[in-house]
Amino acid sequence: MSHHKPDPNKSITVTIDGRQITVPEGTRILEAAQKAGVHIPTICDHPALGKRAVCRICVVECNGRGKLMTACANDVAEDMIIVTNNARILGIRKMILELLLANHPQECLTCVRNKKCELQSLADRFGIRASPFRHEAERQHPPETDGDVLIRNMNKCIKCGRCVEACQEIQTVRAINSSRRSIHYEISTPYGQTLGSGSCIFCGKCAEVCPVGAIYEHDQSAEVWEVLGSGQRSAAQIVSSAGAVLDDELGLPPGTITPGKMVTALKLLGFEKVFDADSFVSLADKETENNLLDRMKNHGKSKKLLPLITGSTPGWHSFVERFYPELLDHLSNCKSPQQIFAAMVRSSKAISVSITPHIIEKFEVQKAAQNPAADSVDIALTAQEMGRMIRLAGIEIGVLPETPFDSFVFIAGDSFTVMNQNLFDFEDTSQGIKEAELDLKGTMIKVITVDGLARARKVLDSIRSGTCKASLVRLD
């Protein structure tokens, strides 16, 4: 049976709630409705995931038929007539939400996702204050903390399956799965083991896509408050991309929080120095360039240590360790940007705090704790944790003045030269796997960049089989 491949250059005309619009072929009903100015509610759908149709909240009527269709998993068709709102549809959506709430703990005020919970938002939209359904038995799933990185509270799980797809299809780690059937269906780990006992690399993608408070980062803001109140010297590094996460966390319009405002806020919280994490990325890239030159010079004939594998994708190092242990010699032994920052701050006997959007940074700290000689920051915070600290302190970050980042000289005692150009300044990698020929100090080398861990398997397999001709592979 052949499947028709949508042609994005072909236009489809549909009618949504009486309004006629034209969209490219292959557009989902959900997306077409958004273009028509109609918001169809959904929980299981997520922009980073595929067509799912799990929660069924997005059902609509098409062409006057009694059968309902899910808007998130069905594409529009020529002359389709779609109804997104009527008494029947609204009643079904409300009943689905009430059933979800019947099995959901009523503890919003103490939940980490309070006011940021998609289920809570939909319940408010539909005016649901209490569910008419009662669950016969309370589920007994005490929250589990895995490696001081992730917390899983499966009492709050609504079984949307987002975390399963993110773990299995996006990251291809397969540390989270679904099990059992019918009313016993649940999201679980293999054999009910902890995440740390399985294949989890603590990338945090599961927490990023969870619509409720079933899985989230281990909050260490209390430790930071203790440091800031102790009088100890403290320094923070923060990535510029944290601004977008803070906008979302604090409910501000996109683009409100600039790097300069983040610096001001961190200084108001009590940090003595605040550094630009992107500068440490440049330093790490320069160190990688030198490591590659050394390998090409001393190991070029044997090829045993080429290509050099490096990257910025959260969890890339742990991914290779877990699934491709035979390639460990290919891994860059250069310090990560976080480690460079930590080494610099340690020389001044200050407490170092790294702030990024990635939960994996917490895992790096936990791994380094097992090796006292390793350079590691003292505490890693997610941008969400920082946002909660800012809210608790009553800081209106959106109206703060701009403050520049601190220089390296004060706290390190030495001046680092930050390169304006580095080995990795080339074409966008958003389409997957890219190859480039670069001049590295007079030697032309082949560089492969990979977008995402799922695609990384193809390249890593080629390294394992000896067919990869690149000198450098970067997992971005």
Side-chain angles (χ1 to χ4, degrees):
M1 179 178 177
S2 62
H3 297 276
H4 173 68
K5 185 177 181 180
D7 181 2
N9 296 316
K10 180 180 178 181
S11 296
I12 299 291
T13 301
V14 298
T15 301
I16 300 178
D17 292 342
R19 180 183 177 188
Q20 194 174 78
I21 64 167
T22 300
V23 295
E25 185 179 35
T27 301
R28 295 182 300 160
I29 295 174
L30 188 68
E31 297 164 337
Q34 291 172 348
K35 184 175 180 180
V38 177
H39 175 72
I40 299 176
T42 182
I43 287 183
C44 70
D45 185 69
H46 191 277
L49 307 177
K51 298 177 181 179
R52 315 200 58 252
V54 175
C55 70
R56 321 297 290 186
I57 291 176
C58 67
V59 291
V60 297
E61 291 181 355
C62 293
N63 300 332
R65 300 174 183 173
K67 183 178 179 180
L68 297 171
M69 298 178 65
T70 51
C72 71
N74 288 281
D75 295 344
V76 295
E78 187 66 41
D79 297 326
M80 181 181 279
I81 299 174
I82 303 165
V83 176
T84 71
N85 287 292
N86 58 29
R88 178 193 180 207
I89 293 172
L90 293 177
I92 291 172
R93 290 175 180 167
K94 185 174 182 180
M95 181 178 292
I96 292 173
L97 285 171
E98 289 171 340
L99 287 168
L100 289 174
L101 289 167
N103 283 330
H104 198 72
Q106 305 300 300
E107 50 187 42
C108 293
L109 290 178
T110 60
C111 180
V112 70
R113 292 297 297 271
N114 188 31
K115 296 185 178 180
K116 299 294 296 180
C117 171
E118 294 180 37
L119 180 62
Q120 184 186 54
S121 298
L122 284 175
D124 180 67
R125 174 179 171 180
F126 281 80
I128 301 173
R129 298 293 176 262
S131 174
F133 302 102
R134 297 182 63 86
H135 197 256
E136 294 183 359
E138 291 291 332
R139 290 179 291 176
Q140 299 297 321
H141 292 296
E144 297 181 18
T145 301
D146 283 300
D148 287 335
V149 178
L150 288 172
I151 296 179
R152 290 186 297 143
N153 186 347
M154 302 315 291
N155 297 315
K156 298 181 181 181
C157 179
I158 59 174
K159 306 174 185 178
C160 68
R162 281 188 185 180
C163 60
V164 175
E165 183 166 348
C167 187
Q168 298 221 3
E169 304 299 329
I170 304 300
Q171 298 297 81
T172 66
V173 172
R174 302 181 178 89
I176 302 176
N177 208 335
S178 57
S179 62
R180 311 177 76 178
R181 296 182 179 181
S182 187
I183 62 172
H184 301 297
Y185 176 85
E186 63 181 1
I187 305 300
S188 62
T189 57
Y191 308 106
Q193 62 191 357
T194 63
L195 288 174
S197 299
S199 59
C200 182
I201 61 172
F202 291 100
C203 64
K205 287 295 182 182
C206 53
E208 289 180 16
V209 301
C210 180
V212 292
I215 187 164
Y216 53 95
E217 75 277 5
H218 171 56
D219 195 320
Q220 295 178 276
S221 57
E223 298 176 38
V224 178
W225 282 121
E226 184 177 350
V227 169
L228 296 177
S230 67
Q232 299 180 79
R233 300 188 71 188
S234 59
Q237 70 158 1
I238 187 166
V239 297
S240 57
S241 58
V245 179
L246 287 172
D247 284 334
D248 181 65
E249 177 68 26
L250 299 174
L252 298 173
T256 299
I257 301 178
T258 61
K261 292 182 184 296
M262 291 191 292
V263 174
T264 306
L266 287 168
K267 292 290 183 74
L268 289 174
L269 285 174
F271 284 99
E272 182 179 351
K273 294 294 175 181
V274 181
F275 299 100
D276 182 4
D278 294 336
S279 296
F280 297 107
V281 172
S282 298
L283 290 171
D285 287 348
K286 184 61 180 176
E287 188 175 342
T288 299
E289 177 182 327
N290 292 332
N291 184 247
L292 176 58
L293 285 168
D294 177 68
R295 292 194 182 203
M296 291 172 62
K297 177 181 179 181
N298 298 312
H299 307 284
K301 293 182 179 180
S302 67
K303 300 292 183 181
K304 289 182 179 180
L305 298 181
L306 291 176
L308 175 66
I309 303 174
T310 185
S312 61
T313 297
W316 72 271
H317 199 285
S318 296
F319 183 82
V320 176
E321 285 182 333
R322 176 76 69 176
F323 298 103
Y324 294 86
E326 65 273 34
L327 299 183
L328 289 180
D329 287 342
H330 289 263
L331 292 180
S332 169
N333 55 9
C334 300
K335 292 180 180 179
S336 69
Q338 183 170 272
Q339 290 172 325
I340 293 175
F341 165 67
M344 184 189 73
V345 174
R346 181 177 295 176
S347 66
S348 67
K349 299 181 180 180
I351 300 298
S352 57
V353 178
S354 178
I355 304 167
T356 79
H358 306 305
I359 292 175
I360 185 66
E361 304 289 0
K362 290 180 177 289
F363 185 51
E364 279 194 19
V365 174
Q366 299 306 317
K367 287 178 62 178
Q370 301 172 10
N371 180 11
D375 289 315
S376 172
V377 296
D378 295 296
I379 304 172
L381 289 184
T382 62
Q384 289 88 345
E385 289 171 89
M386 177 188 166
R388 292 192 285 270
M389 290 183 67
I390 290 172
R391 186 186 296 114
L392 179 60
I395 297 173
E396 296 292 337
I397 189 171
V399 298
L400 291 180
E402 303 275 339
T403 301
F405 285 106
D406 288 298
S407 66
F408 297 153
V409 178
F410 174 87
I411 206 160
D414 294 308
S415 177
F416 287 92
T417 302
V418 179
M419 305 296 293
N420 293 322
Q421 298 294 325
N422 61 65
L423 184 61
F424 310 115
D425 288 338
F426 59 96
E427 59 184 316
D428 178 36
T429 63
S430 60
Q431 298 304 312
I433 300 175
K434 294 286 186 179
E435 298 182 3
E437 293 286 338
L438 296 181
D439 185 348
L440 180 60
K441 295 189 176 181
T443 302
M444 295 303 296
I445 64 169
K446 180 179 179 181
V447 179
I448 295 178
T449 62
V450 187
D451 181 20
L453 295 181
R455 297 186 181 94
R457 286 185 179 272
K458 181 177 180 180
V459 177
L460 293 173
D461 285 340
S462 70
I463 298 175
R464 182 162 56 185
S465 65
T467 59
C468 181
K469 304 301 182 184
S471 296
L472 177 69
V473 171
R474 183 173 174 88
L475 307 181
D476 286 336

